[in-house]
Amino acid sequence: RLPGLQRLCREVRAPRAGAMRVGARPGMLLLLPPGTPFSARAGQQLRPFPGFDGPASARRPEGGVVGQGGAEPLEPAGRGERGSPVSHGVSVCFQEAGSLCLALALLFPVAVGLEFSYHPSEQLGTFLKEVHRQHPSITSLHSVGRSVAGRDLWILVLGRFPTQHTIGIPEFKYIANMHGDETVGRELLLHLIDFLVTNDKSDPVVTRLIDSTRIHIMPSMNPDGFEATTVHDCYYSEGRFNKNGKDLNRNFPDVFNSNNVTIQPETQAVINWIKNETFVLSANLHGGALVASYTFDNGNPATGSLRGYSRSPDDDVFMHLAKTYSSNHASMYKGNECGNKPVFPYGITNGYAWYQLQGGMQDYNYIWGQCFEITLELSCCKYPPASQLQAFWNDNKAALIEYIKQVHLGIKGQVLDRHGQPIPNVIVEAKGREHICPYRTNQHGEYYLLLLPGSYVLNATAPGSGSILKTLIVPNGPENFSALKYDFVFPEVSTIARDASCPTKPLYQDFESISAAVKPTLHFLALMTVLYTVFK
């Protein structure tokens, strides 16, 4: 509306191969000095700002050169190809007023946008850095380690207190691209980040999530495998493995069998990350099927494997978590969307019931991380065309958000002494749901137990101080973005709590051997009972 200044709002893309591509968002500004080439998609009209009165030639949808309305149109840049750079949502300022246009541009921050295309590792890192630069108050960015080839394993953390754990705020994580050729989850998590940062303070659900949760997002656990996948295949490629040729989802310590694997750098980085945080809930994004799979992935007779199902003590919670995702997905709940896969009722499955695997990440999280993790298979095709990515985002967006909310299921609180000081390493569990590696309080004396609504008896056992039992009625926490809060207070603590973490060995093997030893005795007793009854 200022004299001599012409502004147009539209999508702009540089025509050179591999150049930065720009996706417009209303109200955002980009300076293009005279002589700058630009191109536009066919069929889209240039929309001037109110008050625009520039020449009609500047409104041409085909593009041209800034300041040269009669120039020949340029070819639109290709869309959706592997290697297209991160785009930035901006508008175009067709500069005719020189310094006046520059001064105005300084008043309009350029916002991050994101194309629906596959982003190589360098561009993925650039995008995450730009998100953090533009949203420093609600994001934190760090690398938890490096891949075999030296690529960063980036983590973007979102929350009102993103840089460190806050007492009472549960920790949540998403991990994708563990298999390098399973690519949809990688791009979905980038778009989830974009959605969360751009909707904070405007969307009430997003705002409450960021207020109440610390959300960790690792878009790629296997960047080497992604970069090695040169042929896009729906079923299999060498990019599944890391650079050492190892399957990262068979590379974790196993609770049932000694898998004798060499822990890879990517796996060790995730193990260390899990140990350094108090994760409560997690999901691992894969491809090649459309189903939500839950622990256990491995099993033995102690967990019901003889019946083809390996059941955890929290099987009902895991089923709820899997159904939460599948029912909020556009079609996963149907259970039969991939013609070459089994039918999955409600779009969920117990991992062992589908197929057995050793050294899986979700079992490791549950046993040694005190974190409930499920595996989300999000596409029938492992590496689909980039042109389908927007549809995948539309199918998964609601489910990704609703699943994060489930971190607020159950009960949370602290265990304190009579002076109000936290007591670490106290066992806090619900009766009837004892874990083979007992769940303990962290260094802040905190505990988090994911439980469905209902009545539970909690048992807190402090070292040398006995136990406290408490019956609690658990409401539906996700509705209010908070689990029920209850603090245990021990009047006397006779010994100092020490680290009592479980060894990373096949803990269920002991149960299996005990069970096998008891069976002959039970059979003998049963036989004697029958004989006694007959002779009597």
Side-chain angles (χ1 to χ4, degrees):
R1 298 184 180 182
L2 297 172
L5 178 64
Q6 299 175 357
R7 294 181 295 175
L8 294 174
C9 212
R10 80 146 290 94
E11 177 179 296
V12 175
R13 291 188 237 145
R16 301 185 311 278
M20 185 71 74
R21 296 178 183 176
V22 183
R25 292 188 177 187
M28 300 174 186
L29 189 66
L30 172 69
L31 279 176
L32 292 181
T36 303
F38 70 97
S39 64
R41 263 188 311 190
Q44 289 192 337
Q45 297 298 315
L46 298 179
R47 294 178 176 271
F49 276 82
F52 169 72
D53 57 357
S57 61
R59 305 176 188 233
R60 296 175 57 179
E62 299 89 355
V65 176
V66 176
Q68 300 175 15
E72 288 298 315
L74 298 167
E75 277 300 311
R79 190 170 180 83
E81 298 301 321
R82 170 92 179 262
S84 60
V86 177
S87 61
H88 296 263
V90 295
S91 301
V92 184
C93 177
F94 287 84
Q95 180 176 333
E96 288 194 356
S99 60
L100 176 59
C101 193
L102 175 61
L104 286 174
L106 297 175
L107 301 177
F108 293 84
V110 178
V112 172
L114 190 66
E115 280 193 344
F116 285 100
S117 62
Y118 288 114
H119 297 88
S121 298
E122 183 177 349
Q123 294 165 15
L124 183 150
T126 299
F127 171 74
L128 296 178
K129 291 172 186 176
E130 185 65 13
V131 168
H132 175 53
R133 186 187 69 81
Q134 294 195 27
H135 304 276
S137 65
I138 61 168
T139 65
S140 174
L141 179 64
H142 65 282
S143 171
V144 293
R146 291 182 180 271
S147 67
V148 174
R151 293 183 173 95
D152 280 304
L153 304 177
W154 290 112
I155 309 292
L156 188 85
V157 186
L158 300 101
R160 210 57 71 197
F161 309 100
T163 58
Q164 60 185 9
H165 178 71
T166 301
I167 293 174
I169 301 293
E171 308 279 347
F172 175 93
K173 64 180 165 72
Y174 273 133
I175 298 180
N177 203 209
M178 184 183 203
H179 293 143
D181 63 340
E182 297 173 12
T183 56
V184 171
R186 173 187 175 109
E187 297 302 326
L188 291 184
L189 291 190
L190 295 183
H191 284 278
L192 177 63
I193 289 169
D194 188 51
F195 179 78
L196 292 174
V197 297
T198 56
N199 286 278
D200 182 36
K201 300 297 187 183
S202 60
D203 182 294
V205 172
V206 171
T207 303
R208 293 193 71 181
L209 271 182
I210 291 177
D211 286 345
S212 62
T213 319
R214 191 164 174 244
I215 304 165
H216 304 244
I217 297 179
M218 176 187 275
S220 181
M221 182 180 167
N222 186 5
D224 296 352
F226 177 81
E227 298 298 337
T229 309
T230 56
V231 178
H232 303 183
D233 192 280
C234 279
Y235 302 108
Y236 172 81
S237 82
E238 290 297 325
R240 174 184 179 88
F241 308 107
N242 77 341
K243 194 171 178 64
N244 287 336
K246 303 300 183 182
D247 188 329
L248 299 180
N249 205 30
R250 309 292 189 275
N251 195 236
F252 285 80
D254 192 272
V255 72
F256 295 96
N257 303 104
S258 298
N259 48 351
N260 297 319
V261 295
T262 300
I263 301 297
Q264 296 298 296
E266 298 91 344
T267 308
Q268 190 61 57
V270 170
I271 289 174
N272 294 341
W273 180 35
I274 292 170
K275 288 179 178 179
N276 291 333
E277 300 286 354
T278 306
F279 287 119
V280 179
L281 180 62
S282 175
N284 180 15
L285 280 55
H286 285 250
L290 195 63
V291 66
S293 173
Y294 54 90
T295 209
F296 288 116
D297 275 332
N298 201 357
N300 65 17
T303 60
S305 65
L306 296 178
R307 296 183 297 276
Y309 189 111
S310 189
R311 187 181 307 274
S312 75
D314 298 292
D315 191 66
D316 58 338
V317 180
F318 276 111
M319 291 184 67
H320 165 81
L321 294 171
K323 285 183 178 179
T324 294
Y325 198 93
S326 68
S327 63
N328 284 280
H329 186 278
S331 59
M332 185 184 288
Y333 67 93
K334 297 177 182 179
N336 60 351
E337 291 299 281
C338 301
N340 62 334
K341 302 294 180 184
V343 174
F344 301 107
Y346 307 106
I348 70 172
T349 184
N350 173 255
Y352 185 91
W354 185 11
Y355 63 90
Q356 181 182 7
L357 69 87
Q358 294 182 19
M361 186 165 67
Q362 70 178 12
D363 287 3
Y364 178 87
N365 270 272
Y366 179 61
I367 297 297
W368 288 289
Q370 301 189 186
C371 173
F372 287 39
E373 178 172 285
I374 67 172
T375 299
L376 299 173
E377 302 279 355
L378 299 180
S379 59
C380 301
C381 180
K382 288 177 178 286
Y383 201 143
S387 59
Q388 298 178 13
L389 288 175
Q390 186 161 6
F392 281 116
W393 168 245
N394 293 336
D395 289 349
N396 285 274
K397 180 171 68 173
L400 287 166
I401 296 297
E402 192 63 29
Y403 185 77
I404 298 174
K405 289 169 61 177
Q406 305 312 303
V407 77
H408 299 291
L409 281 170
I411 309 173
K412 65 181 180 181
Q414 286 181 281
V415 178
L416 309 168
D417 64 20
R418 60 191 178 92
H419 303 293
Q421 296 301 306
I423 310 174
N425 295 309
V426 174
I427 296 173
V428 181
E429 301 202 293
K431 292 193 70 174
R433 294 172 179 269
E434 293 80 5
H435 300 94
I436 194 167
C437 182
Y439 279 23
R440 298 174 180 270
T441 56
N442 64 13
Q443 61 181 332
H444 307 290
E446 288 179 287
Y447 71 92
Y448 295 86
L449 296 177
L450 292 183
L451 298 166
L452 299 181
S455 177
Y456 300 89
V457 177
L458 263 60
N459 184 356
T461 304
S465 303
S467 298
I468 297 177
L469 300 179
K470 179 65 179 180
T471 301
L472 295 170
I473 306 297
V474 176
N476 186 12
E479 287 184 350
N480 298 310
F481 295 84
S482 178
L484 175 69
K485 188 176 186 303
Y486 183 80
D487 293 340
F488 288 92
V489 179
F490 279 83
E492 297 292 337
V493 180
S494 59
T495 60
I496 299 175
R498 56 185 177 81
D499 185 14
S501 58
C502 289
T504 50
K505 68 175 187 177
L507 300 172
Y508 271 105
Q509 276 189 347
D510 297 334
F511 272 66
E512 186 176 34
S513 60
I514 292 172
S515 176
V518 169
K519 279 180 182 178
T521 304
L522 293 177
H523 292 160
F524 177 75
L525 290 174
L527 176 61
M528 293 302 295
T529 302
V530 171
L531 291 174
Y532 174 78
T533 304
V534 170
F535 283 107
K536 183 179 179 180

